[in-house]
């Protein structure tokens, strides 16, 4: 499969991410496993950026509040990483619209280098279910805040912008094609300057067991 994308700057990267995720619910609890592969073309170099497996467990504490913990076992271009990600998500449904707000703390341990970093990821998402169809459309933004392990305490790291669809193929199978723009920033004193973007075609297969 080939994707053609026009990037806004010479240094922008073209990426494909592919995910398969399985989830099983037990009342208010759910457990799951996802696997993701990422490929990247940047500055003329085409390579595997990373792939990882992510077991996860979630608990629906309230009708509108879900607490989740997940962990990545990741092989990246810079070595093997472990990521630890507790998160909480608040959601609200209004007619055909759904709204979700998530806070995730992500600690990454770079095993071979023996270093770690911790960032706060905040995601706001809105979904619209198209009446009398198996389709919904969604938009989301997710900034990465505060590298707590960095003495300079850079307050803004990068941002992801999402636009995509949920397509219910079967009762237990959903396809989620998305476009993701991942904007990187570097820091000069108090100011963050946008450097380059990842333009991503993201395909997710969700399986309910």
């Amino acid at each position: 499969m080939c994707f053609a994308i026009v990037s806004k700057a010479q240094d922008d990267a073209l990426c494909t991410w592919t995910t398969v995720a399985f989830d099983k619910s037990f009342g208010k609890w759910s457990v799951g496993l996802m696997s993701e592969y990422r490929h990247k073309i940047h500055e003329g170099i085409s390579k595997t950026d990373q792939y990882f497996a992510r077991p996860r467990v979630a608990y629906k504490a309230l009708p509108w509040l879900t607490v989740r913990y997940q962990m990545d076992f990741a092989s990246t271009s810079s070595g093997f990483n472990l990521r630890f990600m507790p998160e909480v998500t608040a959601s609200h449904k209004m007619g055909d619209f759904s709204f979700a707000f998530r806070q995730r703390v992500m600690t990454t341990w770079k095993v071979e280098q023996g270093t770690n970093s911790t960032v706060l990821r905040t995601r706001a998402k809105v979904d619209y279910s198209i009446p009398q169809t198996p389709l919904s459309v969604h938009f989301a933004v997710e900034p990465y805040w505060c590298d707590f392990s960095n003495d300079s305490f850079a307050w803004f790291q990068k941002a992801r912008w999402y636009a995509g669809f949920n397509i219910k193929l079967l009762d237990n199978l959903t396809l989620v094609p998305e476009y993701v723009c991942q904007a990187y920033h570097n820091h000069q004193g108090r100011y963050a300057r946008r450097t380059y973007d990842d333009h991503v075609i993201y395909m997710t297969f969700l399986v309910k067991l």
Side-chain angles (χ1 to χ4, degrees):
M1 185 176 294
C2 180
F3 301 101
I5 309 173
V6 179
S7 60
K8 71 175 181 59
Q10 184 176 2
D11 289 336
D12 284 0
L14 310 179
C15 309
T16 57
W17 299 351
T18 305
T19 295
V20 179
F22 300 89
D23 283 289
K24 175 67 174 179
S25 295
F26 302 92
K28 292 185 176 182
W29 290 90
S30 67
V31 295
L33 176 66
M34 66 173 283
S35 180
E36 184 165 301
Y37 173 80
R38 298 182 181 181
H39 186 266
K40 187 171 189 175
I41 303 172
H42 188 219
E43 296 181 336
I45 300 174
S46 176
K47 63 179 181 179
T48 294
D49 189 39
Q50 63 175 284
Y51 54 89
F52 59 84
R54 176 182 294 174
R56 55 194 182 187
V57 59
Y59 177 69
K60 199 171 186 66
L62 296 169
W64 54 271
L65 188 69
T66 301
V67 179
R68 178 178 286 108
Y69 186 83
Q70 46 197 357
M71 182 177 176
D72 283 357
F73 300 85
S75 177
T76 76
S77 56
S78 60
F80 183 72
N81 292 349
L82 294 174
R83 303 190 192 102
F84 309 91
M85 292 171 289
E87 66 181 53
V88 59
T89 303
S91 58
H92 178 68
K93 186 172 176 61
M94 185 183 300
D96 294 323
F97 287 90
S98 299
F99 305 90
F101 181 77
R102 185 186 72 193
Q103 292 281 26
R104 172 185 291 177
V105 177
M106 182 175 73
T107 298
T108 301
W109 179 30
K110 296 184 177 181
V111 176
E112 295 166 17
Q113 291 91 336
T115 61
N116 64 80
S117 62
T118 300
V119 298
L120 175 66
R121 297 170 54 174
T122 301
R123 189 185 73 176
K125 183 181 180 184
V126 58
D127 288 84
Y128 174 69
S129 295
I130 303 173
Q132 299 179 341
T133 74
L135 302 176
S136 66
V137 60
H138 62 263
F139 301 92
V141 59
E142 183 181 22
Y144 284 50
W145 308 98
C146 305
D147 185 351
F148 296 101
S149 61
N150 191 329
D151 292 337
S152 64
F153 197 72
W155 65 274
F156 181 68
Q157 303 297 307
K158 64 182 179 182
R160 288 180 179 173
W161 303 83
Y162 300 80
F165 295 90
N166 284 37
I167 307 170
K168 193 167 186 178
L169 302 177
L170 300 170
D171 287 343
N172 64 341
L173 176 62
T174 301
L175 172 65
V176 187
E178 294 179 289
Y179 166 73
V180 182
C181 178
Q182 182 165 244
Y184 290 88
H185 295 72
N186 65 10
H187 299 267
Q188 298 175 344
R190 295 172 57 191
Y191 302 98
R193 181 174 64 86
R194 190 165 175 172
T195 52
Y196 77 92
D197 296 345
D198 283 344
H199 296 279
V200 183
I201 296 297
Y202 191 9
M203 302 293 288
T204 301
F205 298 87
L206 302 176
V207 182
K208 296 288 186 182
L209 300 176

